[in-house]
Amino acid sequence: MQGVERSIVTIDLGAIRRNAETLRHVAGDAELWAVVKADGYGHGSREVSGAALAGGASALAVATLAEALPLRTAFPDARLLVMGPVEDVAAAREARLELVAVGVEVPEGLPVHLKLDTGMGRWGLSELPAPSRDVVGVMSHLASAEADPEFTQVQIERFREATATLAGLSRHLANSAGTLRFPEARLDAVRCGIALYGISPFGGDPAADRLEPALRWESYLALVKRLRPGESTGYGRRFVARRETWIGIVPVGYADGFRRDLTGTRVVVEGTPTLVVGTVSMDALAVELERPLPTGTAVTLVGDGVTIEDHARVAETIGYEIATGIVTAQGRARRVVRNG
């Protein structure tokens, strides 16, 4: 890798397919709809979509028209749902998409899902209108299924009561956390995003829900140097050596998606968990080494026991943000896809 790529992101489509199979099994009689917005949560929407469909997903869901159109070309027969607002309804109609009515105006001439706001306080109708002939589904979104079971139950009951008399329409409410923890929320279909990628919606070990991480991120030591006592590395001199210390410089920084607030997290260097020290720069980070190592030594940023959830805890954020923040364009990380 040295001298060729700054870092490599490897996506295991076999893991995506197996996660889809797991979620399909958990969903019971409900269909699995794979959420592949934001370029498949940073994993590649086209490749992920194919793996999810192979794993039993019966529909794909995205946030925008721009995300949907390339998928329509790649999967001409797939059921495709756009969950966010769409201004160009004619283009959506031509592409045979399904849309969500998130406000008082209901699109015409193509399949529509009415969205009821049961407590998310975002997109959605306060009351469901009488469905027109174009309406094929009714949906809502859980606000805190990963952390607040009481409020989640309130939302489930609100949705079930509001849709109890709507025979013949697909009812879908559960996200990944709802699918995994609330059987009563599964209804006719579940919309799973983060769990599809093997990232826990609960911030813990994905293996607890039989999920496999699909993303691996690797780089290398571009420079190894010795710091004498009192010498520092990085902006702001946040790391000052108290004793003679070896550090390694990895050519990945916050412009690549390795966030500035990940100082203090661990990566794996030559099989050893290693602390990230000093300020993460735009294009580089530093790790503290036990001994001098040759340049070119492999560094695993995600994988080999280091999880996206681990980094999220250090950054005080969620796995979604870590995964979608990895930059695979403009000469940053190169994404490689394999079928495991």
Side-chain angles (χ1 to χ4, degrees):
M1 181 188 294
Q2 185 178 4
V4 179
E5 292 112 352
R6 300 162 54 82
S7 67
I8 293 178
V9 172
T10 303
I11 305 301
D12 182 357
L13 296 183
I16 299 286
R17 185 183 67 252
R18 290 186 291 273
N19 290 335
E21 291 170 351
T22 295
L23 293 165
R24 179 67 190 85
H25 176 75
V26 170
D29 294 332
E31 295 183 9
L32 170 64
W33 295 0
V35 181
V36 295
K37 62 182 179 178
D39 194 25
Y41 288 44
H43 291 62
S45 60
R46 178 172 176 170
E47 295 83 0
V48 164
S49 294
L53 292 169
S58 55
L60 305 172
V62 295
T64 69
L65 178 64
E67 292 174 333
L69 294 179
L71 292 179
R72 171 52 73 224
T73 300
F75 303 98
D77 298 323
R79 189 175 184 185
L80 258 170
L81 173 66
V82 181
M83 298 184 292
V86 171
E87 293 184 1
D88 192 346
V89 175
R93 188 182 301 114
E94 183 178 355
R96 296 176 290 108
L97 305 178
E98 300 183 24
L99 300 187
V100 173
V102 297
V104 294
E105 293 187 9
V106 178
E108 297 180 351
L110 75 177
V112 174
H113 299 250
L114 301 176
K115 187 166 189 178
L116 178 67
D117 183 4
T118 57
M120 186 69 175
R122 202 177 55 179
W123 307 116
L125 303 155
S126 56
E127 294 183 4
L128 289 174
S132 67
R133 64 180 182 179
D134 292 324
V135 173
V136 297
V138 187
M139 65 185 289
S140 189
H141 193 63
L142 298 173
S144 53
E146 74 288 349
D148 189 344
E150 291 185 4
F151 188 69
T152 301
Q153 291 290 353
V154 169
Q155 284 194 268
I156 293 170
E157 288 307 312
R158 286 175 179 170
F159 186 73
R160 292 176 72 98
E161 289 177 8
T163 60
T165 61
L166 298 178
L169 301 181
S170 293
R171 296 186 300 164
H172 46 109
L173 170 66
N175 54 10
S176 289
T179 300
L180 293 168
R181 293 291 183 272
F182 296 90
E184 61 274 38
R186 294 167 190 160
L187 302 171
D188 299 309
V190 298
R191 306 186 308 270
C192 291
I194 197 71
L196 183 66
Y197 307 96
I199 302 170
S200 172
F202 312 105
D205 182 0
D209 289 297
R210 297 183 293 116
L211 301 172
E212 301 177 44
L215 184 148
R216 179 179 177 86
W217 192 10
E218 300 167 286
S219 188
Y220 63 96
L221 296 179
L223 174 69
V224 175
K225 65 187 302 180
R226 179 179 61 182
L227 297 181
R228 296 181 175 85
E231 293 182 331
S232 62
T233 183
Y235 289 110
R237 303 191 75 231
R238 291 176 64 187
F239 179 81
V240 179
R242 297 182 179 181
R243 52 179 172 74
E244 185 175 278
T245 303
W246 288 95
I247 62 165
I249 306 300
V250 182
V252 173
Y254 58 79
D256 303 275
F258 198 93
R259 297 161 54 112
R260 196 170 184 270
D261 49 12
L262 283 176
T263 295
T265 195
R266 292 187 182 274
V267 297
V268 173
V269 180
E270 204 180 48
T272 301
T274 304
L275 193 67
V276 174
V277 296
T279 302
V280 176
S281 303
M282 183 179 290
D283 307 307
L285 62 91
V287 294
E288 185 176 7
L289 302 175
E290 295 180 351
R291 65 187 188 281
L293 293 172
T295 58
T297 297
V299 177
T300 305
L301 305 173
V302 176
D304 296 336
V306 174
T307 67
I308 283 177
E309 293 87 349
D310 293 332
H311 291 327
R313 283 190 290 273
V314 172
E316 297 184 348
T317 185
I318 54 178
Y320 304 67
E321 191 170 13
I322 300 294
T324 59
I326 299 173
V327 179
T328 56
Q330 299 179 333
R332 296 289 171 172
R334 179 167 72 90
R335 188 160 61 206
V336 176
V337 175
R338 69 180 181 87
N339 287 290

